[in-house]
Amino acid sequence: MRQRAIVVDDLAAGRGRYFRIRIGTLMEAALIIALALICTLLPLVIGQRMGCAPYVSPMHLLGYFCGLGFLFKAAAYGVAPDLAFFQQFTPSPSAQLRGALYLGLFVILICVGYIAFARPVSHAQSQEAARLIASQICRRDWLFAGAFTFAAMTFALVLRARGVGLFDPALLAGLNATKQINVNDAGVGATLAGIKTFFIIPKFAFVLLLSNGIVLRARRVMVQAAIVGVLLIGIAVISGDRFELIELLVYAFATHALLGGRIAARTVFLTILGLSTVMVVSVYMTHLRFHGAQVSLFQQIVGSTYFLDLNVAVMVTDRTEFEQLLHGESYTWWLFGWVPRAIWLDKPAIDLGVYFKREIMQTYTGGAFNVTGPGEAFINFGWFGLGVAPVLGAIYRKGEEILLNPAQVLRHGTYLLYPMLFYPFVQATLQSSFSAFIVGAAAQSVLLVLMVALFVPRFRPRFRPCLMPKSGVSYAA
């Protein structure tokens, strides 16, 4: 009897420990989800009240990325913890809560920096100036033809560099599964980013044609924009980058918003149609990447380091040692990143994701992990990396104000650079790494300036922005 009583007591104690652990886990998950919800809603509210661009201000973008990378994943991990990417690396018991706290503070401090440097910009004047520029876009047929010409040329160069033929049956699967070629001993290879820079030409052509078609309500121009949009979907498949699809949606929605477009029933329908297309093509690209294996898009998103990712925050705060901190070094790698890898075969990676994967996480399978902006800040400065967040917030606000200032829009058509350069900058500093973006953006800027000179008219404002009448923007051709 005594032994039976001891066994019963042990079982009761075991059940008690199990329930205490389970309750503790549920409470931790609830705290993380609550923090993620705050970090998603806060920038959306700030963007709606203070943003210069409706629905696509940097704060809106921060909210979207946070919702997909923090809130959505935290909720999924609360139900199915094994889906978490960071679970592959045996984290310490408090790693998830610590990573969530770091990520949450980073997001909040970005908002603080944004608010601190906010100055008023007239939405109405900015939109009127943008509509004027869009209505005068010229040489549209040359623009349309150039989009296909440069896309075909770039595609041919990519195939030549990879040493494959156009009719290779495994062409698309290879392009999606293998992102690097000529990988060296350090696990770093060529991504052909220099060649792919020319894809910016059809992307900008899409924005220019869409702008002109929206303002003039010209069916022929809208059809041309739609055809170039289909071309961009093909480019995404060729590049093997599903974020190209998201970029296409952002280009379209941001252009519509910057021109003062309203969210009408037609806009909602087209948005749903675009999202559905993105989902279908993304599933197809996932199928290609895993050579036909049954991996759902949901598993790919939840079990990845995409967007403003919770996994990366957990991994860097849990595994980064003081000796591994870079003390700001990664923010200077763009200084040598412009040298082509074809010339400098042993050029170090300028994407911090390679260092993160190999040196921090001790994984040597090649490629990289998305390091995210918060992750890059931590790898450089540890917890002091939180100081990078308000600087980013200030840069977001000042960049937004400069590009959407009515006078700058009239003089230089700067609203066009908002989706082409500024959105990718926000995306890179939230999801990717700083130096990798700077190198690519510098090359793209040259092409964008040339295209602006060829296809975009400019005007001279007669008044400074602060003196412009409320009824409209005065200008001279």
Side-chain angles (χ1 to χ4, degrees):
M1 289 292 293
R2 185 176 180 183
Q3 289 180 346
R4 182 179 297 177
I6 291 173
V7 171
V8 170
D9 289 342
D10 288 343
L11 289 173
R15 290 195 194 98
R17 283 194 299 271
Y18 170 79
F19 284 117
R20 284 195 297 272
I21 293 172
R22 184 61 179 164
I23 290 171
T25 302
L26 291 174
M27 289 182 63
E28 180 179 299
L31 285 172
I32 293 173
I33 292 171
L35 178 60
L37 181 61
I38 292 171
C39 291
T40 299
L41 294 179
L42 178 63
L44 292 177
V45 172
I46 294 172
Q48 201 63 24
R49 293 185 177 182
M50 304 178 65
C52 301
Y55 309 110
V56 288
S57 75
M59 289 294 99
H60 284 98
L61 297 174
L62 174 61
Y64 303 150
F65 273 75
C66 195
L68 290 168
F70 193 2
L71 178 59
F72 180 57
K73 292 183 180 181
Y77 302 159
V79 176
D82 291 341
L83 291 176
F85 184 80
F86 67 82
Q87 293 288 5
Q88 302 176 33
F89 302 97
T90 317
S92 60
S94 59
Q96 186 174 2
L97 186 58
R98 186 167 58 247
L101 176 62
Y102 172 74
L103 181 56
L105 289 173
F106 200 93
V107 172
I108 292 170
L109 288 172
I110 288 178
C111 295
V112 170
Y114 183 89
I115 293 172
F117 283 83
R119 299 294 182 271
V121 172
S122 171
H123 287 193
Q125 292 179 3
S126 178
Q127 289 168 2
E128 186 176 346
R131 291 180 70 86
L132 174 63
I133 294 293
S135 68
Q136 301 297 315
I137 289 171
C138 55
R139 303 181 182 91
R140 292 174 307 211
D141 291 337
W142 283 103
L143 183 63
F144 179 71
F148 280 85
T149 301
F150 277 91
M153 179 189 72
T154 306
F155 184 36
L157 290 174
V158 170
L159 294 183
R160 180 180 178 184
R162 284 179 171 268
V164 296
L166 180 61
F167 301 103
D168 189 333
L171 172 62
L172 290 180
L175 291 174
N176 278 266
T178 306
K179 296 297 186 68
Q180 299 184 52
I181 61 173
N182 301 327
V183 179
N184 61 24
D185 294 337
V188 180
T191 60
L192 306 179
I195 295 175
K196 293 178 181 178
T197 296
F198 289 99
F199 281 140
I200 196 67
I201 293 175
K203 292 177 182 179
F204 196 34
F206 172 75
V207 171
L208 291 174
L209 291 169
L210 184 62
S211 296
N212 188 254
I214 289 173
V215 174
L216 299 182
R217 297 184 179 180
R219 181 173 298 179
R220 179 172 179 270
V221 181
M222 291 298 287
V223 169
Q224 287 180 327
I227 293 173
V228 176
V230 173
L231 171 65
L232 294 180
I233 293 175
I235 288 173
V237 176
I238 292 167
S239 301
D241 187 352
R242 285 164 292 190
F243 249 85
E244 296 271 359
L245 300 172
I246 295 176
E247 283 187 357
L248 177 59
L249 283 181
V250 174
Y251 293 156
F253 193 72
T255 301
H256 180 268
L258 293 173
L259 294 172
R262 296 181 178 179
I263 307 299
R266 183 182 179 186
T267 308
V268 173
F269 171 76
L270 291 175
T271 302
I272 293 173
L273 180 62
L275 287 171
S276 300
T277 303
V278 166
M279 294 290 288
V280 170
V281 178
S282 295
V283 170
Y284 174 63
M285 292 174 68
T286 299
H287 181 78
L288 290 173
R289 178 170 296 184
F290 291 93
H291 303 288
Q294 296 299 315
V295 179
S296 70
L297 185 61
F298 172 80
Q299 290 175 309
Q300 271 285 284
I301 294 174
V302 171
S304 70
T305 56
Y306 294 147
F307 306 106
L308 190 55
D309 183 58
L310 172 61
N311 293 282
V312 171
V314 173
M315 291 154 67
V316 296
T317 54
D318 188 52
R319 295 287 290 270
T320 305
E321 302 292 340
F322 179 80
E323 295 77 14
Q324 296 172 318
L325 297 181
L326 296 177
H327 307 291
E329 180 183 335
S330 76
Y331 295 108
T332 67
W333 288 349
W334 60 270
L335 292 171
F336 62 80
W338 57 271
V339 181
R341 196 169 296 277
I343 298 175
W344 184 4
L345 296 178
D346 293 324
K347 184 180 78 172
I350 59 172
D351 186 339
L352 185 60
V354 176
Y355 180 84
F356 173 41
K357 183 175 183 178
R358 294 177 65 87
E359 304 301 325
I360 305 295
M361 303 312 299
Q362 302 292 304
T363 303
Y364 303 99
T365 54
F369 292 154
N370 288 324
V371 71
T372 75
E376 180 165 18
F378 194 94
I379 292 175
N380 276 281
F381 306 111
W383 282 89
F384 290 104
L386 289 171
V388 173
V391 176
L392 280 179
I395 293 173
Y396 291 166
R397 180 61 191 192
K398 300 313 292 184
E400 181 185 24
E401 290 177 4
I402 292 170
L403 292 178
L404 300 182
N405 181 292
Q408 295 301 320
V409 173
L410 286 172
R411 287 193 184 101
H412 308 294
T414 51
Y415 88 93
L416 294 164
L417 300 181
Y418 191 90
M420 300 309 303
L421 285 179
F422 192 63
Y423 157 69
F425 170 73
V426 174
Q427 175 188 308
T429 50
L430 293 179
Q431 177 184 277
S432 186
S433 59
F434 180 79
S435 289
F437 167 79
I438 293 296
V439 173
Q444 291 174 351
S445 297
V446 176
L447 297 175
L448 292 176
V449 168
L450 291 174
M451 291 184 71
V452 167
L454 285 171
F455 303 108
V456 181
R458 267 72 53 82
F459 298 88
R460 184 177 67 255
R462 289 177 177 167
F463 304 97
R464 292 188 305 171
C466 61
L467 298 178
M468 286 183 181
K470 293 183 178 179
S471 59
V473 180
S474 298
Y475 62 89

